[in-house]
């Protein structure tokens, strides 16, 4: 499993946690929005690694947008949930490198 795929699973799980109503918002606010900055960095790293491996980048791009607007109540929650869904889908897809290899 590539580092890009592992990071997709990790960021998807973290986004799912941040999307939990009231709990995710309370967590972000209690840490003075630092989790959004950490997620932004993780999404950028995941995006770069995904591009290098030829994997889907839609979840990471959506995650970057989510990290930037995640401070807006309710909008942030919905964005975190959508980002988690897209990242889970991207992470579950087969590695493009494995598909290219002959059987």
């Amino acid at each position: 499993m590539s580092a890009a795929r592992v990071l997709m699973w990790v960021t998807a799980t973290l986004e799912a946690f941040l999307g939990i109503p009231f709990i995710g918002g309370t967590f972000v606010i209690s840490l003075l929005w630092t989790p959004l900055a950490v997620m932004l960095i993780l999404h950028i790293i995941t995006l770069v690694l995904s591009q290098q491996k030829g994997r889907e980048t839609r979840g990471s791009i959506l995650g970057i947008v989510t990290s930037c607007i995640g401070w807006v109540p309710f909008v942030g929650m919905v964005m975190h949930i959508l980002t988690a869904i897209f990242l889970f889908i991207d992470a579950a897809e087969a590695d493009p490198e494995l598909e290219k290899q002959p059987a």
Side-chain angles (χ1 to χ4, degrees):
M1 188 178 312
S2 67
R5 191 170 189 182
V6 171
L7 272 173
M8 282 184 192
W9 284 110
V10 169
T11 54
T13 303
L14 293 172
E15 287 289 352
F17 171 74
L18 293 176
I20 298 172
F22 304 109
I23 295 172
T26 302
F27 179 74
V28 170
I29 292 170
S30 68
L31 293 174
L32 302 175
W33 292 272
T34 304
L36 295 180
V38 170
M39 290 305 295
L40 177 64
I41 293 166
L42 286 174
H43 286 304
I44 291 170
I45 293 169
T46 306
L47 176 67
V48 170
L49 292 176
S50 296
Q51 285 179 332
Q52 289 175 349
K53 293 291 184 181
R55 295 190 59 88
E56 285 290 340
T57 58
R58 62 185 172 219
S60 297
I61 293 170
L62 186 59
I64 291 169
V65 172
T66 300
S67 295
C68 293
I69 64 169
W71 55 272
V72 180
F74 300 107
V75 173
M77 179 186 69
V78 171
M79 291 297 292
H80 285 301
I81 293 168
L82 288 174
T83 300
I85 291 169
F86 277 97
L87 282 166
F88 279 128
I89 291 169
D90 290 349
E93 291 177 352
D95 282 324
E97 294 175 350
L98 296 177
E99 292 177 359
K100 293 179 186 176
Q101 296 175 354

